[in-house]
Amino acid sequence: MITQLYCNSLTKFSRYKTRVVTIGDVPLGGDNPIRIQSMTTTDTMDTIATVEQSIRMIDAGCEYVRITAPSIKEAKNLENIKKELRARGYTTPLIADIHFTPNAAELAARIVEKVRVNPGNYADKKKFESIDYTDNAYEIELERIRERFTPLVKICKEYGTAMRIGTNHGSLSDRILSRYGDTPLGMVESALEFLRICEDNNYYNIVLSMKASNTQVMVQAYRLLIQKMQQYGMSYPLHLGVTEAGEGEDGRIKSAVGIGTLLEDGIGDTVRVSLTEDPEFEIPVAKALVERYSNRASHKAIPEVQSSKFKVQENTGQLSTFQLPTFELPYSPYDYKRRETLEVINMGGHNVPRVIADFSGKQVITPASFFAVGYNYSVPLDKWNLTDQACDYIFVGDNKIDFQIPGTLGLIYNSAFWQNLENTTRCYPLFSDNEFFTTVKKSTELNFVSVDIDFLIQYFNSSTFQPFDNTVVFVFETSNEHGMAEQRRMFIELMNNNCKVPVIIKRNYSNLSEEKFQLHSSTDIGALFLDGFGDGIWINACQFEPFDFAQDKLNREQNNCTSPKNANATSFGILQATRNRISKTEYISCPSCGRTLFDLQETTAKIRNRTDHLKGVKIGIMGCIVNGPGEMADADYGYVGTGVGKITLYKGREVVERNIGSEKAVDALVDLIKKYGDWVEKE
Ligand code: SF4
């Protein structure tokens, strides 16, 4: 299909050029660095607390500080916060976060350097009503919004205040939902309506964002926005974020999948990682995501995607003249569709992507070694128990396993070693590409073949190679710094040649801290699963030899990546964050802000402690009723702050219990899950 691209190139890293926007004395967009930002969680009326939290964020590397202004009184107090920060020598631009309250926005725009408005609730109501608008009625509504929004645009123009039109998937208005549905297109149109009002007033100091907690929707919305901006000759800077990403490992993996996928294609001018943690902890994560691209442009060349319909013009930096290329692509970057593949045992076809653990570096493999990858051997019962995150295959290299393995597990050996195995039950060979064509003895069920881009391009462009049979599963390798793009190019090569061999995405990591390993692998591999590529995941990042805790601890301190347990959890985490394989409870929890009505971190921990065994159940934990119900998007159950010490529970979008005392609310949530049959007892 002919596809207008959303980035400069699918194979050569370069930054998508946007216009420069002035935000105080820290410009954004164009060739400026990708800016790091975050948002305070303190009560905006508590000047000192907000100033001190802002200072912790700024000292951690935050370049813009966002503060919620739910009403006029908070908007007024931004003046005191700014004065106190300046008095303490901090000149960091401040941003007012506005929902539902144009009067607060108009006041704040005279005080701070930027205001963020949400087009879904600036002048629109949301009752989840489906309204059938005639074109005329729709135009009347747009006129009403224009009247309500124009005053703010004029104030921003007069005071040189920047504006972010920040769309959130969960708070699209009934009007947009009625016309476009809960879709990336609805998100884009919601922003374009406000943009057109700005441009009609010759106001261009604007930033855009398309946030969602569903990473597929989020990435598609940003890509579609760029495509639409291209059509209208616009090039506004982009603020990237996965909203309600959660906390800890989940929050980091989800943010790295969504934000990283866009950064990989040179998209994004500022980043906010929203974690259910103190905001200063978001900064190092955002930095680790952004810093990977400072020298990315010098990566090893990747063969271009063939059949470009449009001659690619050099990016002269002249924004309006630059037309992104159009290609004949075998997949759509704007709609999720899993690549069609043959089924080989439990891989490919409609099987969930498989997880392969890598024990090749481990000298001594005992039954206890399998505990780290989800298998627990019970000696008294003489049987294996497996968890929801039990890997499907273990690559053992040349290490012979001489004990009974779990019934659901497969072992992968180097092909040369495999040749000499007496018993090959659930043991499979890994061939290099040439070995596969030169080795006679192969498995009749499953043969892994490790291939790289040079082999694939050669293979499909020559008539000498005999076809791969239906026992083959490819293992995609890359050592390119722009590895995701190289492996994506390999998938395009397969699809362009109608090759349906299943593919395991393999990446090797070393000399990284545990957190960076998690972030890098989530981006590199998650980006491919978001486009429907991949039938399995294989991360090689563990230093083993000999396995003892002291050595393991030392490895991690020396940035030798991670433990088998964490590599396995990260693999399952990536598949869950890309919605390709669900293996645990999903928490859609907001990062909290000045509107939060209870201790979100403490409550999230309590709820997680009671419910983290409910595989596949989505629980929304939202700090306030203003944005909560919308922002928790497709959660199965919702736990939302509705007053000080008061919680309201939701089943999907329906309120089921209102204003429960917070001391009883977690129990009430558990009862609700039991009532609807989603509860299982913890083992
Ligand atoms: S849902 Fe959370 S982050 Fe969003 S406005 Fe409410 S308290 Fe703030």
Side-chain angles (χ1 to χ4, degrees):
M1 72 192 84
I2 304 295
T3 306
Q4 159 93 61
L5 268 197
Y6 55 86
C7 58
N8 301 340
S9 165
L10 290 176
T11 51
K12 184 170 176 9
F13 180 83
S14 72
R15 184 107 174 258
Y16 171 66
K17 197 81 169 250
T18 56
R19 67 176 33 235
V20 175
V21 162
T22 313
I23 306 175
D25 55 5
V26 183
L28 178 71
D31 294 324
N32 287 294
I34 301 172
R35 304 291 187 194
I36 306 290
Q37 62 174 280
S38 182
M39 182 167 177
T40 57
T41 59
T42 50
D43 176 356
T44 306
M45 292 312 292
D46 185 339
T47 305
I48 297 306
T50 305
V51 165
E52 279 163 5
Q53 186 175 62
S54 300
I55 290 173
R56 288 194 297 276
M57 292 155 68
I58 296 164
D59 290 348
C62 190
E63 296 171 279
Y64 304 126
V65 172
R66 182 156 49 112
I67 303 169
T68 188
S71 72
I72 285 287
K73 70 178 181 3
E74 285 88 1
K76 275 200 189 111
N77 201 47
L78 292 171
E79 187 117 45
N80 300 327
I81 293 167
K82 184 172 177 176
K83 226 186 260 136
E84 182 61 24
L85 274 169
R86 301 298 179 253
R88 297 190 192 194
Y90 289 89
T91 60
T92 306
L94 300 181
I95 303 168
D97 190 63
I98 304 292
H99 296 272
F100 297 99
T101 48
N103 52 3
E106 291 165 17
L107 176 58
R110 294 181 172 93
I111 299 168
V112 294
E113 286 69 34
K114 176 165 170 247
V115 286
R116 179 274 174 117
V117 297
N118 179 336
N121 60 30
Y122 193 80
D124 261 315
K125 289 285 167 279
K126 179 167 183 135
K127 299 193 191 73
F128 298 105
E129 285 166 359
S130 174
I131 309 154
D132 197 2
Y133 285 94
T134 62
D135 287 354
N136 182 37
Y138 201 88
E139 280 315 310
I140 291 168
E141 272 296 293
L142 284 181
E143 213 28 60
R144 184 181 61 74
I145 290 166
R146 179 179 293 274
E147 273 163 36
R148 203 73 196 82
F149 181 50
T150 301
L152 175 65
V153 175
K154 291 192 169 142
I155 292 166
C156 286
K157 216 172 149 194
E158 182 191 345
Y159 284 76
T161 307
M163 178 193 296
R164 169 160 66 97
I165 298 174
T167 300
N168 276 25
H169 182 223
S171 50
L172 295 177
S173 68
D174 292 346
R175 183 175 49 79
I176 288 282
L177 288 173
S178 304
R179 179 149 289 201
Y180 301 99
D182 203 1
T183 62
L185 179 60
M187 294 171 73
V188 171
E189 283 302 328
S190 176
L192 287 175
E193 289 176 352
F194 278 61
L195 258 181
R196 292 185 192 109
I197 297 169
C198 293
E199 295 203 339
D200 292 351
N201 288 278
N202 299 318
Y203 173 70
Y204 306 96
N205 207 24
I206 300 164
V207 182
L208 300 172
S209 66
M210 298 279 125
K211 298 191 183 181
S213 62
N214 176 331
T215 53
Q216 285 179 5
V217 170
M218 176 254 186
V219 167
Q220 289 162 12
Y222 278 100
R223 290 174 174 175
L224 192 60
L225 175 65
I226 292 173
Q227 198 195 46
K228 289 280 181 186
M229 285 208 287
Q230 282 283 305
Q231 284 164 15
Y232 301 124
M234 300 169 170
S235 54
Y236 292 101
L238 299 175
H239 166 126
L240 305 185
V242 174
T243 194
E244 284 43 83
E247 35 95 44
E249 174 184 288
D250 295 353
R252 285 162 175 73
I253 291 177
K254 217 174 175 182
S255 299
V257 165
I259 296 168
T261 296
L262 295 163
L263 291 172
E264 281 285 320
D265 283 327
I267 295 168
D269 301 284
T270 181
V271 163
R272 192 264 167 120
V273 171
S274 70
L275 299 174
T276 312
E277 299 172 17
D278 290 347
E280 54 268 35
F281 297 124
E282 298 178 352
I283 311 297
V285 179
K287 280 183 166 176
L289 290 177
V290 165
E291 71 194 10
R292 302 183 72 191
Y293 304 96
S294 35
N295 307 317
R296 181 64 67 91
S298 56
H299 65 83
K300 186 172 139 250
I302 301 168
E304 279 288 340
V305 179
Q306 299 313 322
S307 70
S308 163
K309 292 278 172 261
F310 266 66
K311 180 175 165 339
V312 180
Q313 288 168 319
E314 192 39 50
N315 180 349
T316 60
Q318 298 310 313
L319 296 168
S320 50
T321 61
F322 175 51
Q323 176 70 34
L324 288 174
T326 293
F327 277 97
E328 189 143 12
L329 281 179
Y331 74 102
S332 165
Y334 304 104
D335 303 296
Y336 177 83
K337 184 171 177 298
R338 184 164 171 191
R339 171 182 159 251
E340 249 182 78
T341 55
L342 302 172
E343 181 172 50
V344 181
I345 303 191
N346 61 354
M347 260 174 293
H350 298 294
N351 291 287
V352 292
R354 297 298 165 192
V355 172
I356 296 178
D358 193 319
F359 278 24
S360 57
K362 201 170 167 50
Q363 295 300 343
V364 183
I365 301 176
T366 64
S369 312
F370 288 9
F371 181 74
V373 289
Y375 293 91
N376 191 2
Y377 183 69
S378 157
V379 177
L381 301 172
D382 181 24
K383 80 177 188 65
W384 287 97
N385 297 318
L386 64 161
T387 68
D388 289 329
Q389 298 205 333
C391 68
D392 306 285
Y393 293 84
I394 298 180
F395 174 60
V396 291
D398 299 340
N399 299 311
K400 179 136 182 7
I401 302 298
D402 50 16
F403 53 84
Q404 182 63 28
I405 60 170
T408 55
L409 184 67
L411 297 178
I412 309 170
Y413 286 91
N414 286 323
S415 65
F417 191 92
W418 178 84
Q419 304 288 327
N420 306 316
L421 286 177
E422 301 94 37
N423 174 358
T424 58
T425 311
R426 282 189 285 113
C427 296
Y428 310 101
L430 171 69
F431 294 94
S432 69
D433 45 38
N434 288 324
E435 266 177 344
F436 182 77
F437 292 109
T438 55
T439 307
V440 179
K441 183 182 169 193
K442 296 187 178 78
S443 164
T444 55
E445 297 173 291
L446 167 57
N447 295 290
F448 292 93
V449 182
S450 166
V451 296
D452 64 13
I453 192 155
D454 300 333
F455 166 80
L456 268 189
I457 303 276
Q458 204 188 346
Y459 175 78
F460 287 116
N461 294 300
S462 88
S463 55
T464 54
F465 284 107
Q466 70 268 26
F468 286 103
D469 63 29
N470 57 16
T471 67
V472 168
V473 169
F474 284 147
V475 177
F476 272 12
E477 301 267 6
T478 180
S479 55
N480 194 314
E481 201 199 346
H482 203 29
M484 185 285 282
E486 187 171 274
Q487 291 184 319
R488 178 172 56 194
R489 179 66 184 81
M490 292 166 78
F491 279 107
I492 292 172
E493 191 67 17
L494 291 188
M495 295 177 86
N496 279 346
N497 291 281
N498 200 20
C499 172
K500 294 189 168 40
V501 171
V503 171
I504 305 295
I505 299 169
K506 181 170 185 247
R507 293 296 300 251
N508 307 305
Y509 296 96
S510 58
N511 301 324
L512 287 174
S513 69
E514 191 146 282
E515 181 167 74
K516 284 197 177 152
F517 150 73
Q518 203 165 59
L519 297 173
H520 292 196
S521 58
S522 298
T523 295
D524 298 341
I525 300 170
L528 296 166
F529 278 105
L530 279 185
D531 275 329
F533 301 136
D535 305 287
I537 181 169
W538 178 340
I539 293 178
N540 173 15
C542 310
Q543 314 288 328
F544 284 108
E545 189 54 51
F547 185 71
D548 64 38
F549 290 100
Q551 177 61 40
D552 183 48
K553 190 165 175 301
L554 192 63
N555 283 342
R556 279 194 252 152
E557 277 149 13
Q558 290 166 343
N559 288 349
N560 283 336
C561 288
T562 191
S563 65
K565 187 169 188 311
N566 188 47
N568 190 59
T570 301
S571 299
F572 279 98
I574 293 169
L575 294 177
Q576 176 123 356
T578 56
R579 302 214 168 184
N580 272 260
R581 180 174 177 175
I582 305 300
S583 58
K584 54 186 171 179
T585 318
E586 180 164 344
Y587 298 97
I588 300 168
S589 59
C590 81
S592 82
C593 72
R595 290 171 185 267
T596 307
L597 297 162
F598 58 86
D599 182 325
L600 224 127
Q601 293 177 35
E602 186 196 295
T603 305
T604 303
K606 268 198 211 138
I607 292 174
R608 184 183 274 277
N609 183 26
R610 300 280 299 278
T611 62
D612 65 1
H613 63 294
L614 302 176
K615 180 180 159 186
V617 173
K618 288 199 215 83
I619 299 175
I621 308 165
M622 311 303 285
C624 79
I625 192 80
V626 178
N627 280 327
E631 303 301 0
M632 65 186 179
D634 55 357
D636 305 311
Y637 297 91
Y639 182 105
V640 179
T642 37
V644 178
K646 293 290 177 211
I647 302 295
T648 290
L649 295 183
Y650 287 71
K651 176 69 183 90
R653 293 249 163 100
E654 298 311 312
V655 172
V656 283
E657 261 183 277
R658 224 178 263 287
N659 296 332
I660 309 163
S662 53
E663 67 293 345
K664 294 200 288 311
V666 176
D667 290 335
L669 174 66
V670 171
D671 293 344
L672 181 65
I673 298 171
K674 287 179 178 169
K675 182 176 164 207
Y676 283 91
D678 288 325
W679 183 264
V680 291
E681 291 306 328
K682 266 197 189 186
E683 279 174 9

